[in-house]
Amino acid sequence: MQLTGAQALIKSLEMEGTEVMFGLPGGAILPVYDPLIDSSIRHILVRHEQGAGHMAEGYAHATGRPGVAMVTSGPAATNIVTPLCNAYMDSVPIVVITGQVAYSVIGTDAFQECDTLGITMPVTKHNWLVTDARDVPQVVREAFHVATTGRPGPVLIDMPKDISNQTMEWYWPDGVDLPGYKPTTRGHPKQIKDAARLMAEAHRPVIYAGGGILKARAAEALRELVELTGFPVVTTLMARGAFPDDHELCLGMPGMHGNYTAVTAMQRADLLVALGSRFDDRVTGKVSAFAPEAKTIHVDIDPAELGKVRRPDVPIVGDCRLVIEELVKAVRSSRSKHEWPSLAAWHDQLRRWQQQYPLVFEQDDSGPLKPQFVIDSLRDHTPDDTIVASGVGQHQMWTSQRWHFNHPYTWVNSGGLGTMGFAVPAAIGAKVGRPERLVWAVDGDGCFQMTAQELVTASAERIPVKIAILNNAYLGMVRQWQELFYEERYSEVYLSPDLPDYVKWAEAMGCVGFRVDHPDDVVPTIEKANAIDDRPVVVDFRVDYREKVYPMVPAGLSNDDIVVDPSQGDGGH
């Protein structure tokens, strides 16, 4: 069967099980858009290429399957670099296809030419420039394999226009042969035995669960290990939902804006069992002062993470799920042979911290409207398995702190890169991937203005996402830092609460728009929004600009310097 390179590309995507892709056509990618008309793949036309990348990420977060995005050359390729970097930092599997000028004119500064391979090499697991149409099926097969195996991540295929028009004899490769790419998935038996030995000696252990738990589909295995050992668990920003928040051994989120108990438990631990986590600076605070008495077991599929920030006592390279399953066996064997130390005193201490330092806020009946009250109301008036996406900033931290994540794959956010504008397109991608689920995006007014045009995409494609804007008229997290560390010198952070008019803007984009100023109107408006299922909904919650995110570990300081909300009485540590 003779096909063009473009036809072979679309057929290869179908062979990989692609059901949906997000994209925007242009000159260099036009040959590939033509056979898409006859394809079973649903194409969602975005309004900006960045939106296509974040939608692919949201789809991957919610489904576990690779998201696919396709854009043209030059500025389209550079517009999708931010989602590629975001996916790279957060280990999200996406496959991005970019058009390229004809192979014969690469290097001549042709119209809309850029060095897409060079630009994206640092932010992809791998990228390919297709130089022969006969290579298309093999390249696509390799791209999906690389994106979804080992430590997942983004890949890119750059497709020159003349190669798209070239003909080839169709085939589908039996497999991939990548000699330099052989991820280690099974942990070394000796290391697993050593890990179990350390666990058997611990009196103040903490399991430090990271996003790798979710990427490895290891939530069930983690729960089995926790209930077998009685070890308490912290779930990082990228791991929220990997272990249920309503479990008695869940301590919640650690880090710069984590809760007091999670942060302090790690500081006082004598053993950290790090599973699919990377000792990020937002979790460790000042590295030299982090968990000073703790021995460390570090499990990660990426060997580059082991020892990168903290040297582990027991490093284990492997897939989190497979390693945890072996750890469970080793722990059972150990416990059958000798008694482990009692953790009763440790659990008592954790409970005392939880009682002494809860997350607090006060909502007066007469207002002003507190952002925490909005988050709690959304949480309590949506189904337990609602998928919630967020932008980046104060609203992200409040949502991660206060939402009860009892199911995996219900939290979609930008962790490593901290990409403002992530929420709206990511929520759209999540809803496309899980249409049966309720999907809310919690966004800030600053973030919303960066990618709100994608609600036109949602309206046109009948994707009924719901957006809660916590409108405090400021770049909130920047303002918080300026207030605390720059003597209240508020430089370029004021946004104005009324410009734009979010209700009118929502309606202009084909959405239903609501505005909420008073606490009494919060729940009724959420219920109205939940009842609308034929178009997107935007709710402009006018919240108190003075609210700050606590607890907080100031940048560069030790986690011992955690500051709790001053309203809790002791003003700090």
Side-chain angles (χ1 to χ4, degrees), residues 32-347:
V32 185
Y33 267 84
D34 184 68
L36 195 55
I37 293 174
D38 304 314
S39 173
S40 61
I41 297 171
R42 177 188 181 188
H43 181 275
I44 291 175
L45 178 63
V46 301
R47 268 51 185 178
H48 189 286
E49 292 89 358
Q50 183 180 352
H54 291 324
M55 288 180 202
E57 289 185 89
Y59 179 92
H61 269 279
T63 66
R65 301 191 298 274
V68 179
M70 185 163 73
V71 300
T72 196
S73 65
T78 59
N79 280 343
I80 210 165
V81 168
T82 296
L84 285 169
C85 189
N86 193 83
Y88 189 70
M89 292 283 279
D90 288 347
S91 306
V92 181
I94 64 173
V95 177
V96 172
I97 297 151
T98 50
Q100 183 55 277
V101 301
Y103 186 61
S104 58
V105 300
I106 288 178
T108 68
D109 293 332
F111 178 66
Q112 291 193 332
E113 178 188 357
C114 76
D115 181 8
T116 302
L117 244 62
I119 290 169
T120 61
M121 189 175 290
V123 294
T124 53
K125 281 187 75 177
H126 195 66
N127 57 19
W128 292 258
L129 173 66
V130 183
T131 60
D132 190 319
R134 289 174 295 185
D135 296 336
V136 168
Q138 188 68 47
V139 166
V140 171
R141 183 112 200 228
E142 290 175 2
F144 275 80
H145 177 74
V146 171
T148 57
T149 55
R151 181 177 183 167
V155 297
L156 181 139
I157 301 171
D158 201 28
M159 191 76 177
K161 191 170 185 178
D162 54 350
I163 305 302
S164 292
N165 289 322
Q166 208 179 67
T167 57
M168 54 85 75
E169 183 71 26
W170 169 256
Y171 68 98
W172 185 241
D174 294 332
V176 296
D177 182 22
L178 299 170
Y181 179 70
K182 291 282 189 282
T184 300
T185 57
R186 296 201 170 271
H188 194 285
K190 179 184 180 301
Q191 301 299 90
I192 289 170
K193 188 175 180 180
D194 287 347
R197 177 180 52 77
L198 279 189
M199 294 167 73
E201 298 168 355
H203 292 80
R204 301 186 309 280
V206 172
I207 291 178
Y208 165 26
I213 294 288
L214 295 172
K215 302 302 185 297
R217 292 305 199 249
E220 289 183 13
L222 173 63
R223 183 163 185 157
E224 185 178 8
L225 179 67
V226 171
E227 293 180 347
L228 177 63
T229 59
F231 287 9
V233 185
V234 298
T235 49
T236 68
L237 181 69
M238 294 306 300
R240 304 293 286 123
F243 189 75
D245 278 335
D246 63 3
H247 196 287
E248 63 179 0
L249 291 172
C250 187
L251 304 182
M253 183 178 74
M256 176 177 274
H257 292 293
N259 71 70
Y260 183 93
T261 303
V263 172
T264 307
M266 294 182 83
Q267 281 299 97
R268 300 287 170 265
D270 63 359
L271 177 68
L272 290 178
V273 184
L275 304 173
S277 47
R278 57 188 181 86
F279 292 88
D280 177 72
D281 60 280
R282 284 299 194 260
V283 169
T284 64
K286 185 178 179 181
V287 175
S288 61
F290 174 66
E293 298 172 21
K295 293 183 177 179
T296 305
I297 299 163
H298 193 177
V299 179
D300 205 290
I301 196 153
D302 184 355
E305 290 296 344
L306 303 181
K308 185 176 83 175
V309 176
R310 176 159 173 151
R311 186 179 181 88
D313 296 273
V314 180
I316 305 176
V317 179
D319 176 275
C320 258
R321 181 179 60 81
L322 298 178
V323 172
I324 292 171
E325 287 171 355
E326 292 304 312
L327 264 178
V328 165
K329 293 177 186 175
V331 166
R332 281 212 175 95
S333 173
S334 173
R335 291 177 76 96
S336 69
K337 293 171 184 173
H338 58 85
E339 189 173 347
W340 283 27
S342 170
L343 301 180
W346 182 227
H347 290 154

Side-chain angles (χ1 to χ4, degrees), residues 507-569:
E507 291 171 349
M509 292 188 288
C511 309
V512 177
F514 298 107
R515 173 175 165 172
V516 176
D517 296 276
H518 196 276
D520 290 346
D521 297 326
V522 170
V523 171
T525 306
I526 291 170
E527 291 174 342
K528 285 180 192 173
N530 285 340
I532 296 169
D533 201 37
D534 62 345
R535 70 195 74 181
V537 181
V538 176
V539 186
D540 175 14
F541 291 101
R542 302 297 185 95
V543 298
D544 188 351
Y545 71 90
R546 295 166 296 186
E547 282 298 297
K548 292 187 282 294
V549 182
Y550 287 110
M552 180 178 185
V553 178
L557 297 186
S558 163
N559 285 349
D560 289 325
D561 298 312
I562 186 170
V563 180
V564 299
D565 191 324
S567 69
Q568 286 186 254

